[in-house]
């Protein structure tokens, strides 16, 4: 018995190709809109009131403003992971009194969220 070829197979192939194209385009969009470290620093200022400045001698410094008063924060450790379509951030700060602040975030599509 010979097999009959119909157009149904070509429709399935076209749908499959279209699905693959959509996934590739979505992946490229997610990679291109992955937030970087500068986006994270801007997010720290807007969400946690931790502002950053850069000095050639001291490097990047952080100041947290609470009730109009600023306190210097020092980075005790941190981790940034760029996984392609999203990023993870984990910073540990300490002030002059060695009080620690841990801030963790996940970033995707130019948005950052507390973890």
């Amino acid at each position: 018995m010979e097999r009959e070829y119909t157009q149904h197979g070509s429709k399935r192939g076209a749908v499959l190709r279209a699905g693959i194209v959509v996934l590739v385009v979505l992946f490229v969009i997610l990679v291109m809109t992955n937030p970087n470290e500068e986006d994270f620093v801007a997010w720290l200022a807007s969400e946690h009131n931790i502002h950053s400045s850069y000095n050639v001698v001291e490097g990047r410094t952080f100041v947290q403003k609470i009730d109009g008063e600023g306190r210097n924060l020092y980075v005790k450790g941190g981790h940034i992971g760029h996984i392609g379509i999203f990023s993870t951030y984990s910073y540990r700060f300490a002030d002059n009194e060695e009080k620690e602040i841990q801030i963790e975030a996940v970033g995707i599509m130019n948005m950052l969220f507390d973890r």
Side-chain angles (χ1 to χ4, degrees):
M1 180 180 243
E2 287 190 37
R3 178 176 283 199
E4 283 187 37
Y5 293 100
T6 63
Q7 291 183 351
H8 298 294
S10 64
K11 285 182 184 178
R12 262 191 222 134
V15 170
L16 182 61
R17 281 190 297 277
I20 291 172
V21 168
V22 167
L23 286 176
V24 168
V25 168
L26 181 63
F27 182 76
V28 168
I29 289 171
L30 288 174
V31 168
M32 290 177 55
T33 59
N34 191 8
N36 58 23
E37 187 176 2
E38 293 303 317
D39 296 329
F40 176 69
V41 170
W43 177 81
L44 280 175
S46 66
E47 293 294 319
H48 295 280
N49 220 11
I50 298 175
H51 300 276
S52 171
S53 62
Y54 185 79
N55 184 334
V56 175
V57 176
E58 297 176 16
R60 183 170 286 197
T61 58
F62 294 92
V63 175
Q64 185 177 32
K65 295 191 178 184
I66 300 175
D67 297 328
E69 285 188 33
R71 67 176 178 167
N72 291 332
L73 297 177
Y74 305 98
V75 178
K76 289 195 77 170
H79 173 75
I80 298 172
H82 295 290
I83 296 46
I85 62 172
F86 70 96
S87 296
T88 59
Y89 300 90
S90 177
Y91 270 45
R92 200 169 77 237
F93 298 101
D95 62 6
N96 290 335
E97 301 164 357
E98 291 299 318
K99 182 180 174 187
E100 289 192 3
I101 300 169
Q102 176 88 19
I103 297 178
E104 295 180 336
V106 174
I108 189 166
M109 292 188 67
N110 282 337
M111 296 181 289
L112 288 144
F113 305 98
D114 277 317
R115 247 190 334 172

